[in-house]
Amino acid sequence: MAAMAAGPDHLFNLRNNFYLGAYQAAINNSDIPNLSPEDAIERDCLVFRSYIALGSYQLAISEIDESAATPLQAVKLLALYLSNPENKESTISSLREWLQDPTIGNNPVLRLIAGIIFMHEEDYNEALKHTNAGGNMELHALNVQIFIKMHRSDHAEKQLRVMQQIDEDHTLTQLANAWLDLAVGGSKIQEAYLIFQDFSEKYPMTCLILNGKAVCCMHMGNFEEAETLLLEALNKDAKDPETLANLVVCSLHVGKSSSRYLSQLKLSHPEHMLVKRASSAEDSFERACQSVA
């Protein structure tokens, strides 16, 4: 860590924007002078990942060419994976090949992208194979997310402790803390709310911060406040899947129709967990009706 403290961290604001979901701000403020070659690669990775987060997969695919550094090639794989679900088998087999290559297999960005892709596939053990060794704050934060998905909050807490020892005030440490608080529930929800509240006072409001606060409100039974926050998030991005999914749930609790939000979610994110659950419920209902008929 001493080496990092030696000079100013030119990428601090860019990373923060990316972590908190201010993707357009990350892109707009990425023209940073005097970057070392390593920092320039990290900057480009963050910019392309911001484009990917905004759904501009083709931009990353067309602009990252064969001569680009390994971290950028990994980011391109993520864009290919997300842009073309029919073709994901070939993307995953390329990923596996690269991970087995001793010259690049241990690259932290490649391991991070592997973790993200295998988490999408719900293959958590495979994801952990590549992320569990850690190596940077993003890998630790991804481990926290994976362990939460596996309902192993005990392991998630150990990862969080590692992050707190490295940098307690780091945005990712705070975010991981809030995710874990939400997973544990109970009295921890209030602590998660305060973390998102702190973000909203320090940084521009993003869908990620607004959804974080809204989920805390829903856990605490404050559905009206949650709805207000979610509608504010919807104004920022009408297609954000988490906003739409949370609005479906929130609307049901405040006695309003959720069908419009669910329809929007089906159109823009057909692979979303809530869409799959809703359609399997519809199928079960259809089958039940047919058996009665």
Side-chain angles (χ1 to χ4, degrees):
M1 297 304 291
M4 281 182 69
D9 184 355
H10 296 294
L11 297 177
F12 178 83
N13 290 329
L14 181 64
R15 277 194 214 100
N16 241 14
N17 278 327
F18 177 74
Y19 298 151
L20 291 170
Y23 303 118
Q24 197 59 55
I27 293 163
N28 294 350
N29 299 301
S30 61
D31 193 7
I32 304 162
N34 308 321
L35 290 181
S36 69
E38 288 85 6
D39 280 352
I41 290 171
E42 187 185 344
R43 184 264 316 270
D44 292 346
C45 283
L46 288 164
V47 168
F48 283 120
R49 286 174 68 198
S50 296
Y51 277 117
I52 290 169
L54 293 170
S56 302
Y57 308 126
Q58 284 314 129
L59 189 135
I61 292 165
S62 59
E63 290 207 8
I64 299 171
D65 63 24
E66 294 305 309
S67 64
T70 300
L72 285 161
Q73 297 291 350
V75 170
K76 182 175 182 173
L77 266 189
L78 178 63
L80 285 164
Y81 170 81
L82 293 170
S83 68
N84 195 348
E86 293 79 41
N87 227 354
K88 67 182 182 183
E89 265 65 38
S90 70
T91 308
I92 291 171
S93 76
S94 301
L95 176 63
R96 288 186 195 276
E97 253 172 66
W98 295 6
L99 289 162
Q100 283 161 3
D101 181 335
T103 55
I104 59 169
N106 203 30
N107 182 280
V109 179
L110 180 60
R111 291 194 293 118
L112 179 77
I113 299 299
I116 291 169
I117 288 176
F118 289 120
M119 189 166 90
H120 265 275
E121 290 290 301
E122 296 179 30
D123 189 346
Y124 303 125
N125 289 323
E126 186 64 31
L128 284 171
K129 232 187 260 181
H130 308 293
T131 60
N132 205 20
N136 63 34
M137 291 301 261
E138 269 208 272
L139 281 161
H140 289 304
L142 187 60
N143 284 333
V144 171
Q145 282 186 299
I146 294 167
F147 284 128
I148 289 170
K149 294 255 186 211
M150 295 172 82
H151 306 290
R152 290 304 304 262
S153 50
D154 51 337
H155 285 301
E157 191 166 347
K158 282 178 193 159
Q159 284 290 321
L160 179 60
R161 296 278 166 267
V162 173
M163 295 176 79
Q164 286 169 335
Q165 280 162 2
I166 298 168
D167 183 354
E168 198 166 0
D169 299 321
H170 196 289
T171 298
L172 285 176
T173 308
Q174 295 293 315
L175 270 175
N177 201 339
W179 298 331
L180 184 58
D181 286 342
L182 278 167
V184 172
S187 60
K188 292 282 185 186
I189 301 294
Q190 184 63 36
E191 290 173 36
Y193 182 85
L194 293 174
I195 291 172
F196 288 116
Q197 181 61 34
D198 190 46
F199 282 144
S200 65
E201 286 164 13
K202 279 189 198 162
Y203 304 108
M205 277 288 203
T206 63
C207 285
L208 186 146
I209 296 171
L210 287 161
N211 273 282
K213 283 178 76 172
V215 170
C216 294
C217 288
M218 287 198 279
H219 275 284
M220 295 188 286
N222 304 336
F223 293 101
E224 278 76 12
E225 187 185 344
E227 187 184 28
T228 306
L229 291 162
L230 291 169
L231 291 173
E232 190 185 333
L234 197 66
N235 279 335
K236 291 187 181 298
D237 179 359
K239 286 183 177 171
D240 180 66
E242 293 318 303
T243 306
L244 290 167
N246 286 328
L247 271 165
V248 170
V249 176
C250 192
S251 301
L252 293 170
H253 281 279
V254 292
K256 294 182 181 174
S257 168
S258 62
S259 57
R260 190 170 41 129
Y261 301 127
L262 189 58
S263 301
Q264 280 174 283
L265 190 61
K266 277 181 187 171
L267 284 171
S268 50
H269 300 275
E271 291 298 303
H272 195 281
M273 183 70 74
L274 197 67
V275 173
K276 286 180 173 171
R277 279 189 194 156
S279 55
S280 77
E282 281 167 18
D283 291 346
S284 306
F285 182 69
E286 285 293 319
R287 280 199 301 276
C289 290
Q290 280 161 3
S291 69
V292 173

